Amino acid sequence: MPEVLIRWTENPIIRTSDCKPSTAGLEVACVLNPGAFEYKGRIGLLLRVAERPLAKQGQVATCVLDEHSPGGVKPVYYRLDDPQLSRDDPRVMSYAGNPFLTTLSHLRLAWSHDGRHFEIEPEPVLRGQGLLQTFGIEDCRVQWIDDKYWLTYTAVSEAGVAVAMSSTRDWLSFEHHGVIFPPHNKDCALFPRKINGAYWALHRPSGARIGGHNIWIANSPDLCHFGDHRCLARSRDGFFDSERIGANASPIETDAGWLLLYHGADQKSRYGLGAMLLDRDQPWKVIGRTNEPILAPMADYETSGFFNQVVFSNGHIVRGDQIDVYYGAADQVICGSSARLTDILGSIVPHQ
Ligand code: MAN
């Protein structure tokens, strides 16, 4: 079956060379996985900007947040031939058995009138704060609920990978609500309205051996305290999403139910996008799911980059039957794609 999402001809729409480093001595290694929202007639993206220090020959460099270091960023250098250094994934390395990220991410705003040409702010709007975010913040979902924007993002530190939340009305001042799902958890997307009197969130805890990487659903009286957790959907042997799955941005309300776009990766860490349909009043019930990805890494900018074979999305804009899906390609650049919601719904196979 052909892909349902159609790539934009101008892809990639944002590259690393479009982003100024936040701090002297750092380079922008990747700009990826943006949250998307509308504000005062413009489209906003909340970019994940991943930086690292410029390394000298024979060295590898990364950095962590540290309030005692100049500019709040502590560079860390290792010799490539150091036997204590282990690097088998471009995203993570470890020294003497202690894992680090190879880049430090912050969130930065970009604004557009047409959704395709963006002006990127020169400074971060949110950086990691405190001991639970020393390795940075990543992959922010943005959703307007009631009277403000709610931001859910991955917070990384030595203590683990968790979901943190902030909120804002004006993109100038923010309220920070701390960690809402403790490690190991990421890919948190909020439903845009209450259902049966409660707020709802999708999240993705990881089971060390039993369980794997599946999408869960929970609800909350106040958007900050979640309970009543249920496993919503699991990875599927033999499919594009055989190893791990996680929600994209917020589910979209349609007459047929909640349309959830999600990412699925296989055992080779090839990331594609799929779709599910959830019951409108009982959102923990999955009505159907795509058997084929609606977008899979095929273009050059998706198959090769910082981490090859990735399309990953945590931001979209819906207008009527039209959806624009923003996505990170090969963890290095930002791209766009579009579809009609009816075509995505038509690609979903109902559960027998
Ligand atoms: C993780 C995510 C993303 C990233 C993908 C692919 O699952 O946290 O940040 O894009 O891996 O590397």
Side-chain angles (χ1 to χ4, degrees):
M1 202 176 119
E3 295 173 305
V4 181
L5 281 167
I6 309 295
R7 290 170 184 79
W8 295 350
T9 48
E10 51 269 74
N11 281 345
I13 57 164
I14 301 179
R15 301 166 191 265
T16 52
S17 53
D18 300 325
C19 282
K20 287 200 179 78
S22 68
T23 310
L26 298 186
E27 64 169 349
V28 174
C30 323
V31 55
L32 68 165
N33 303 1
F37 59 94
E38 293 183 73
Y39 179 62
K40 293 193 175 171
R42 288 186 298 171
I43 305 246
L45 292 184
L46 196 50
L47 317 178
R48 170 179 167 196
V49 178
E51 299 178 297
R52 65 186 168 204
L54 296 155
K56 298 198 189 76
Q57 214 175 3
Q59 285 185 332
V60 62
T62 186
C63 48
V64 296
L65 292 171
D66 171 33
E67 56 177 307
H68 304 297
S69 299
V73 176
K74 183 168 119 187
V76 185
Y77 299 95
Y78 297 109
R79 286 182 57 88
L80 283 170
D81 59 4
D82 189 325
Q84 306 247 61
L85 183 69
S86 154
R87 299 196 307 154
D88 46 16
D89 184 319
R91 303 165 299 181
V92 198
M93 60 183 166
S94 74
Y95 189 79
N98 296 312
F100 282 85
L101 294 179
T102 54
T103 57
L104 173 66
S105 292
H106 64 256
L107 303 178
R108 204 180 295 195
L109 285 166
W111 299 104
S112 171
H113 288 286
D114 65 2
R116 299 202 179 201
H117 302 87
F118 283 87
E119 248 175 64
I120 302 169
E121 293 194 350
E123 300 283 332
V125 65
L126 288 179
R127 294 177 193 262
Q129 290 183 351
L131 287 177
L132 297 181
Q133 304 184 356
T134 50
F135 293 178
I137 53 176
E138 307 179 347
D139 303 352
C140 188
R141 280 84 176 162
V142 179
Q143 181 57 48
W144 178 265
I145 305 172
D146 295 344
D147 60 351
K148 53 182 174 169
Y149 295 97
W150 293 85
L151 280 51
T152 50
Y153 49 89
T154 309
V156 193
S157 72
E158 274 175 342
V161 176
V163 175
M165 176 185 261
S166 303
S167 58
T168 184
R169 287 193 173 83
D170 57 9
W171 296 99
L172 296 170
S173 62
F174 293 83
E175 200 179 330
H176 300 296
H177 307 282
V179 166
I180 56 165
F181 294 109
H184 187 110
N185 207 316
K186 46 169 56 171
D187 303 323
C188 176
L190 302 172
F191 283 72
R193 65 164 174 86
K194 282 184 169 177
I195 306 165
N196 303 323
Y199 296 103
W200 293 77
L202 301 167
H203 63 110
R204 209 289 298 280
S206 287
R209 294 183 80 174
I210 297 178
H213 312 275
N214 301 316
I215 299 177
W216 286 59
I217 187 167
N219 61 63
S220 167
D222 60 4
L223 274 167
C224 293
H225 302 87
F226 285 89
D228 190 20
H229 298 263
R230 305 171 205 211
C231 185
L232 178 86
R234 293 168 52 188
S235 51
R236 297 176 295 183
D237 284 346
F239 287 82
F240 73 97
D241 49 7
S242 56
E243 173 64 18
R244 53 182 66 230
I245 56 173
N248 285 13
S250 293
I252 302 149
E253 191 163 15
T254 73
D255 290 340
W258 295 99
L259 174 62
L260 169 65
L261 306 189
Y262 71 97
H263 70 261
D266 64 16
Q267 270 79 8
K268 292 186 173 156
S269 284
R270 183 170 192 261
Y271 281 70
L273 301 183
M276 288 180 209
L277 189 62
L278 314 181
D279 186 278
R280 208 162 163 180
D281 302 315
Q282 301 175 88
W284 59 90
K285 288 192 178 162
V286 180
I287 300 171
R289 185 161 165 183
T290 51
N291 286 337
E292 306 289 334
I294 58 170
L295 188 75
M298 275 192 260
D300 291 350
Y301 47 77
E302 298 163 348
T303 54
S304 121
F306 184 81
F307 189 74
N308 299 342
Q309 305 282 357
V310 174
V311 294
F312 183 99
S313 173
N314 48 286
H316 54 234
I317 300 287
V318 176
R319 285 182 175 155
D321 192 37
Q322 185 74 17
I323 185 168
D324 289 342
V325 173
Y326 295 92
Y327 65 99
D331 278 358
Q332 188 156 359
V333 291
I334 291 176
C335 296
S337 60
S338 302
R340 294 190 325 155
L341 293 181
T342 35
D343 291 338
I344 301 179
L345 288 167
S347 69
I348 290 177
V349 182
H351 283 333
Q352 278 80 27

Short mmCIF file of all heavy atoms in Angstrom, two decimals, residues 19-68:
data_model
loop_
_atom_site.label_atom_id
_atom_site.label_comp_id
_atom_site.label_asym_id
_atom_site.label_seq_id
_atom_site.Cartn_x
_atom_site.Cartn_y
_atom_site.Cartn_z
N CYS A 19 19.98 27.31 12.48
CA CYS A 19 19.90 27.55 13.94
C CYS A 19 21.23 28.04 14.49
O CYS A 19 22.24 27.35 14.33
CB CYS A 19 19.61 26.24 14.66
SG CYS A 19 17.95 25.72 14.58
N LYS A 20 21.18 29.14 15.18
CA LYS A 20 22.41 29.62 15.86
C LYS A 20 22.64 28.80 17.12
O LYS A 20 21.70 28.49 17.84
CB LYS A 20 22.22 31.07 16.31
CG LYS A 20 22.23 32.10 15.22
CD LYS A 20 22.53 33.47 15.86
CE LYS A 20 22.56 34.55 14.81
NZ LYS A 20 21.22 34.98 14.39
N PRO A 21 23.93 28.46 17.40
CA PRO A 21 24.19 27.79 18.69
C PRO A 21 23.74 28.68 19.85
O PRO A 21 23.79 29.91 19.75
CB PRO A 21 25.71 27.61 18.69
CG PRO A 21 26.13 27.74 17.27
CD PRO A 21 25.14 28.65 16.61
N SER A 22 23.30 28.06 20.93
CA SER A 22 22.80 28.82 22.08
C SER A 22 23.93 29.40 22.92
O SER A 22 23.74 30.36 23.65
CB SER A 22 21.94 27.92 22.97
OG SER A 22 22.75 26.92 23.57
N THR A 23 25.12 28.76 22.83
CA THR A 23 26.21 29.08 23.74
C THR A 23 27.51 29.04 22.95
O THR A 23 27.68 28.16 22.10
CB THR A 23 26.28 27.98 24.85
OG1 THR A 23 24.96 27.81 25.40
CG2 THR A 23 27.23 28.34 25.96
N ALA A 24 28.42 29.98 23.23
CA ALA A 24 29.71 30.00 22.53
C ALA A 24 30.42 28.66 22.75
O ALA A 24 30.38 28.11 23.85
CB ALA A 24 30.57 31.14 23.05
N GLY A 25 31.05 28.13 21.71
CA GLY A 25 31.79 26.88 21.83
C GLY A 25 30.97 25.65 21.50
O GLY A 25 31.52 24.55 21.43
N LEU A 26 29.65 25.82 21.31
CA LEU A 26 28.81 24.66 20.95
C LEU A 26 28.47 24.73 19.46
O LEU A 26 28.40 25.81 18.88
CB LEU A 26 27.51 24.65 21.74
CG LEU A 26 27.59 24.54 23.26
CD1 LEU A 26 26.19 24.39 23.85
CD2 LEU A 26 28.47 23.36 23.69
N GLU A 27 28.22 23.55 18.87
CA GLU A 27 27.66 23.50 17.51
C GLU A 27 26.29 22.84 17.57
O GLU A 27 26.03 22.01 18.45
CB GLU A 27 28.59 22.72 16.57
CG GLU A 27 28.73 21.26 16.96
CD GLU A 27 29.42 20.42 15.89
OE1 GLU A 27 29.61 20.90 14.77
OE2 GLU A 27 29.76 19.26 16.20
N VAL A 28 25.43 23.23 16.62
CA VAL A 28 24.11 22.58 16.52
C VAL A 28 24.30 21.31 15.69
O VAL A 28 24.62 21.37 14.51
CB VAL A 28 23.07 23.52 15.89
CG1 VAL A 28 21.76 22.79 15.65
CG2 VAL A 28 22.86 24.75 16.77
N ALA A 29 24.12 20.16 16.33
CA ALA A 29 24.31 18.88 15.63
C ALA A 29 23.03 18.43 14.93
O ALA A 29 23.08 17.81 13.88
CB ALA A 29 24.75 17.80 16.63
N CYS A 30 21.86 18.75 15.55
CA CYS A 30 20.58 18.28 15.00
C CYS A 30 19.50 19.30 15.36
O CYS A 30 19.55 19.90 16.44
CB CYS A 30 20.12 16.98 15.66
SG CYS A 30 21.41 15.79 16.04
N VAL A 31 18.55 19.47 14.47
CA VAL A 31 17.33 20.20 14.82
C VAL A 31 16.19 19.28 14.39
O VAL A 31 16.13 18.86 13.23
CB VAL A 31 17.29 21.62 14.22
CG1 VAL A 31 17.48 21.64 12.72
CG2 VAL A 31 16.00 22.32 14.58
N LEU A 32 15.33 18.92 15.33
CA LEU A 32 14.44 17.79 15.06
C LEU A 32 13.16 17.87 15.88
O LEU A 32 12.97 18.78 16.69
CB LEU A 32 15.18 16.47 15.33
CG LEU A 32 15.56 16.09 16.76
CD1 LEU A 32 15.93 14.60 16.80
CD2 LEU A 32 16.72 16.88 17.31
N ASN A 33 12.27 16.94 15.61
CA ASN A 33 11.09 16.59 16.42
C ASN A 33 10.38 17.80 17.05
O ASN A 33 10.34 17.95 18.27
CB ASN A 33 11.53 15.60 17.51
CG ASN A 33 12.18 14.35 16.92
OD1 ASN A 33 12.33 14.24 15.70
ND2 ASN A 33 12.57 13.42 17.76
N PRO A 34 9.78 18.67 16.20
CA PRO A 34 9.12 19.85 16.76
C PRO A 34 7.69 19.61 17.22
O PRO A 34 6.93 18.86 16.60
CB PRO A 34 9.11 20.81 15.55
CG PRO A 34 8.98 19.91 14.37
CD PRO A 34 9.72 18.63 14.73
N GLY A 35 7.29 20.27 18.31
CA GLY A 35 5.89 20.40 18.65
C GLY A 35 5.30 21.47 17.74
O GLY A 35 6.03 22.34 17.26
N ALA A 36 3.98 21.44 17.49
CA ALA A 36 3.37 22.42 16.58
C ALA A 36 2.08 22.94 17.19
O ALA A 36 1.35 22.20 17.85
CB ALA A 36 3.09 21.77 15.23
N PHE A 37 1.81 24.25 16.95
CA PHE A 37 0.60 24.87 17.52
C PHE A 37 0.29 26.15 16.74
O PHE A 37 1.10 26.61 15.94
CB PHE A 37 0.84 25.19 19.01
CG PHE A 37 2.00 26.12 19.24
CD1 PHE A 37 1.81 27.49 19.35
CD2 PHE A 37 3.30 25.63 19.31
CE1 PHE A 37 2.89 28.35 19.53
CE2 PHE A 37 4.38 26.48 19.49
CZ PHE A 37 4.18 27.84 19.61
N GLU A 38 -0.91 26.69 16.97
CA GLU A 38 -1.27 27.97 16.36
C GLU A 38 -1.36 29.02 17.45
O GLU A 38 -1.86 28.74 18.55
CB GLU A 38 -2.61 27.84 15.63
CG GLU A 38 -2.50 26.93 14.42
CD GLU A 38 -3.79 26.83 13.62
OE1 GLU A 38 -4.15 27.81 12.94
OE2 GLU A 38 -4.45 25.78 13.71
N TYR A 39 -0.87 30.22 17.15
CA TYR A 39 -0.90 31.30 18.13
C TYR A 39 -1.02 32.63 17.40
O TYR A 39 -0.16 32.95 16.56
CB TYR A 39 0.39 31.28 18.98
CG TYR A 39 0.47 32.37 20.02
CD1 TYR A 39 -0.47 32.45 21.05
CD2 TYR A 39 1.49 33.32 20.00
CE1 TYR A 39 -0.40 33.43 22.01
CE2 TYR A 39 1.59 34.30 20.97
CZ TYR A 39 0.63 34.36 21.97
OH TYR A 39 0.71 35.34 22.93
N LYS A 40 -2.09 33.35 17.66
CA LYS A 40 -2.31 34.68 17.06
C LYS A 40 -2.11 34.68 15.55
O LYS A 40 -1.35 35.49 15.01
CB LYS A 40 -1.40 35.70 17.71
CG LYS A 40 -1.75 35.97 19.17
CD LYS A 40 -1.05 37.18 19.71
CE LYS A 40 -1.52 37.49 21.12
NZ LYS A 40 -0.74 38.52 21.78
N GLY A 41 -2.71 33.71 14.87
CA GLY A 41 -2.67 33.69 13.40
C GLY A 41 -1.40 33.14 12.79
O GLY A 41 -1.27 33.11 11.57
N ARG A 42 -0.46 32.75 13.61
CA ARG A 42 0.77 32.17 13.07
C ARG A 42 0.89 30.71 13.49
O ARG A 42 0.26 30.29 14.46
CB ARG A 42 2.00 32.93 13.59
CG ARG A 42 2.16 34.30 12.98
CD ARG A 42 3.45 34.95 13.41
NE ARG A 42 3.51 35.17 14.85
CZ ARG A 42 4.60 35.56 15.51
NH1 ARG A 42 5.73 35.76 14.86
NH2 ARG A 42 4.58 35.73 16.82
N ILE A 43 1.74 29.96 12.76
CA ILE A 43 2.07 28.59 13.19
C ILE A 43 3.37 28.67 13.98
O ILE A 43 4.35 29.29 13.52
CB ILE A 43 2.26 27.67 11.98
CG1 ILE A 43 1.02 27.74 11.10
CG2 ILE A 43 2.66 26.25 12.42
CD1 ILE A 43 0.20 26.56 10.95
N GLY A 44 3.36 28.09 15.15
CA GLY A 44 4.58 28.02 15.95
C GLY A 44 5.10 26.59 15.97
O GLY A 44 4.32 25.64 16.02
N LEU A 45 6.39 26.47 15.90
CA LEU A 45 7.02 25.17 16.15
C LEU A 45 7.90 25.31 17.37
O LEU A 45 8.55 26.34 17.58
CB LEU A 45 7.89 24.73 14.96
CG LEU A 45 7.20 24.37 13.64
CD1 LEU A 45 8.24 23.88 12.64
CD2 LEU A 45 6.11 23.33 13.84
N LEU A 46 7.91 24.27 18.19
CA LEU A 46 8.81 24.24 19.33
C LEU A 46 9.87 23.19 18.98
O LEU A 46 9.64 21.98 19.11
CB LEU A 46 8.02 23.86 20.59
CG LEU A 46 8.67 24.12 21.92
CD1 LEU A 46 9.22 25.55 22.03
CD2 LEU A 46 7.66 23.90 23.04
N LEU A 47 10.99 23.71 18.48
CA LEU A 47 12.03 22.83 17.95
C LEU A 47 12.85 22.21 19.06
O LEU A 47 13.08 22.83 20.09
CB LEU A 47 13.03 23.63 17.08
CG LEU A 47 12.49 24.67 16.11
CD1 LEU A 47 13.66 25.37 15.41
CD2 LEU A 47 11.57 24.01 15.11
N ARG A 48 13.30 21.00 18.82
CA ARG A 48 14.33 20.41 19.68
C ARG A 48 15.68 20.70 19.01
O ARG A 48 15.93 20.24 17.89
CB ARG A 48 14.11 18.92 19.82
CG ARG A 48 15.27 18.22 20.48
CD ARG A 48 14.99 16.74 20.63
NE ARG A 48 16.19 16.02 20.98
CZ ARG A 48 16.32 14.71 20.87
NH1 ARG A 48 15.31 13.97 20.44
NH2 ARG A 48 17.45 14.12 21.21
N VAL A 49 16.52 21.48 19.68
CA VAL A 49 17.84 21.80 19.13
C VAL A 49 18.88 21.04 19.96
O VAL A 49 18.96 21.22 21.17
CB VAL A 49 18.10 23.33 19.18
CG1 VAL A 49 19.48 23.66 18.65
CG2 VAL A 49 17.02 24.07 18.38
N ALA A 50 19.63 20.17 19.29
CA ALA A 50 20.59 19.31 19.99
C ALA A 50 22.00 19.82 19.69
O ALA A 50 22.40 19.93 18.52
CB ALA A 50 20.44 17.86 19.52
N GLU A 51 22.74 20.14 20.76
CA GLU A 51 24.06 20.76 20.59
C GLU A 51 25.15 19.91 21.25
O GLU A 51 24.87 19.08 22.12
CB GLU A 51 24.05 22.15 21.24
CG GLU A 51 23.03 23.08 20.62
CD GLU A 51 23.01 24.43 21.32
OE1 GLU A 51 22.68 24.46 22.52
OE2 GLU A 51 23.32 25.43 20.67
N ARG A 52 26.38 20.19 20.83
CA ARG A 52 27.53 19.56 21.47
C ARG A 52 28.73 20.47 21.26
O ARG A 52 28.74 21.29 20.33
CB ARG A 52 27.79 18.18 20.87
CG ARG A 52 28.19 18.24 19.43
CD ARG A 52 28.30 16.88 18.78
NE ARG A 52 28.40 17.06 17.35
CZ ARG A 52 28.08 16.17 16.43
NH1 ARG A 52 27.62 14.99 16.79
NH2 ARG A 52 28.21 16.43 15.16
N PRO A 53 29.78 20.32 22.09
CA PRO A 53 30.98 21.13 21.90
C PRO A 53 31.71 20.69 20.64
O PRO A 53 31.59 19.53 20.23
CB PRO A 53 31.83 20.84 23.14
CG PRO A 53 30.95 20.12 24.09
CD PRO A 53 29.88 19.47 23.29
N LEU A 54 32.46 21.59 20.05
CA LEU A 54 33.30 21.23 18.91
C LEU A 54 34.43 20.36 19.45
O LEU A 54 35.12 20.75 20.40
CB LEU A 54 33.86 22.49 18.26
CG LEU A 54 32.77 23.39 17.64
CD1 LEU A 54 33.23 24.83 17.56
CD2 LEU A 54 32.38 22.85 16.27
N ALA A 55 34.61 19.17 18.87
CA ALA A 55 35.62 18.25 19.41
C ALA A 55 36.95 18.43 18.67
O ALA A 55 36.96 18.72 17.48
CB ALA A 55 35.14 16.81 19.27
N LYS A 56 38.04 18.26 19.41
CA LYS A 56 39.37 18.25 18.77
C LYS A 56 39.61 16.87 18.17
O LYS A 56 38.92 15.90 18.52
CB LYS A 56 40.44 18.56 19.80
CG LYS A 56 40.29 19.92 20.44
CD LYS A 56 41.59 20.34 21.11
CE LYS A 56 41.41 21.59 21.93
NZ LYS A 56 40.72 21.37 23.21
N GLN A 57 40.60 16.79 17.28
CA GLN A 57 40.87 15.50 16.65
C GLN A 57 41.24 14.43 17.69
O GLN A 57 41.92 14.73 18.67
CB GLN A 57 42.01 15.65 15.65
CG GLN A 57 41.77 14.73 14.49
CD GLN A 57 42.76 14.86 13.39
OE1 GLN A 57 43.73 15.62 13.49
NE2 GLN A 57 42.55 14.10 12.35
N GLY A 58 40.72 13.25 17.50
CA GLY A 58 41.02 12.17 18.43
C GLY A 58 40.14 12.18 19.67
O GLY A 58 40.30 11.36 20.57
N GLN A 59 39.18 13.15 19.70
CA GLN A 59 38.31 13.25 20.88
C GLN A 59 36.85 13.15 20.48
O GLN A 59 36.49 13.38 19.32
CB GLN A 59 38.48 14.63 21.53
CG GLN A 59 39.74 14.81 22.31
CD GLN A 59 39.72 16.16 23.00
OE1 GLN A 59 39.10 17.10 22.54
NE2 GLN A 59 40.42 16.24 24.13
N VAL A 60 36.02 12.86 21.45
CA VAL A 60 34.59 13.01 21.27
C VAL A 60 34.13 13.95 22.39
O VAL A 60 34.69 13.94 23.48
CB VAL A 60 33.86 11.64 21.30
CG1 VAL A 60 34.03 10.94 22.63
CG2 VAL A 60 32.40 11.78 20.97
N ALA A 61 33.13 14.79 22.07
CA ALA A 61 32.70 15.78 23.06
C ALA A 61 31.20 15.75 23.22
O ALA A 61 30.45 15.55 22.27
CB ALA A 61 33.13 17.17 22.60
N THR A 62 30.76 15.93 24.45
CA THR A 62 29.35 16.17 24.70
C THR A 62 29.25 17.23 25.79
O THR A 62 30.28 17.82 26.18
CB THR A 62 28.60 14.87 25.08
OG1 THR A 62 27.19 15.16 25.18
CG2 THR A 62 29.08 14.27 26.38
N CYS A 63 28.06 17.54 26.27
CA CYS A 63 27.95 18.51 27.35
C CYS A 63 26.72 18.22 28.18
O CYS A 63 25.79 17.55 27.71
CB CYS A 63 27.91 19.94 26.81
SG CYS A 63 26.78 20.20 25.46
N VAL A 64 26.76 18.70 29.41
CA VAL A 64 25.62 18.52 30.32
C VAL A 64 25.34 19.87 30.99
O VAL A 64 26.22 20.74 31.02
CB VAL A 64 25.90 17.45 31.41
CG1 VAL A 64 26.09 16.08 30.79
CG2 VAL A 64 27.09 17.81 32.27
N LEU A 65 24.14 20.03 31.50
CA LEU A 65 23.82 21.27 32.22
C LEU A 65 24.42 21.19 33.61
O LEU A 65 24.37 20.15 34.26
CB LEU A 65 22.31 21.47 32.28
CG LEU A 65 21.66 21.76 30.93
CD1 LEU A 65 20.14 21.72 31.05
CD2 LEU A 65 22.11 23.11 30.39
N ASP A 66 25.02 22.31 34.02
CA ASP A 66 25.68 22.35 35.33
C ASP A 66 25.72 23.81 35.78
O ASP A 66 26.40 24.64 35.16
CB ASP A 66 27.09 21.77 35.19
CG ASP A 66 27.90 21.98 36.44
OD1 ASP A 66 27.31 21.94 37.54
OD2 ASP A 66 29.11 22.22 36.32
N GLU A 67 24.99 24.11 36.84
CA GLU A 67 24.86 25.53 37.23
C GLU A 67 26.19 26.15 37.64
O GLU A 67 26.32 27.38 37.66
CB GLU A 67 23.81 25.69 38.33
CG GLU A 67 24.08 24.84 39.55
CD GLU A 67 23.06 25.08 40.66
OE1 GLU A 67 22.86 26.23 41.04
OE2 GLU A 67 22.49 24.08 41.15
N HIS A 68 27.19 25.33 37.99
CA HIS A 68 28.47 25.89 38.43
C HIS A 68 29.42 26.18 37.27
O HIS A 68 30.48 26.76 37.46
CB HIS A 68 29.14 24.93 39.42
CG HIS A 68 28.26 24.61 40.59
ND1 HIS A 68 27.84 25.57 41.48
CD2 HIS A 68 27.68 23.45 40.98
CE1 HIS A 68 27.05 25.00 42.38
NE2 HIS A 68 26.92 23.71 42.10
#
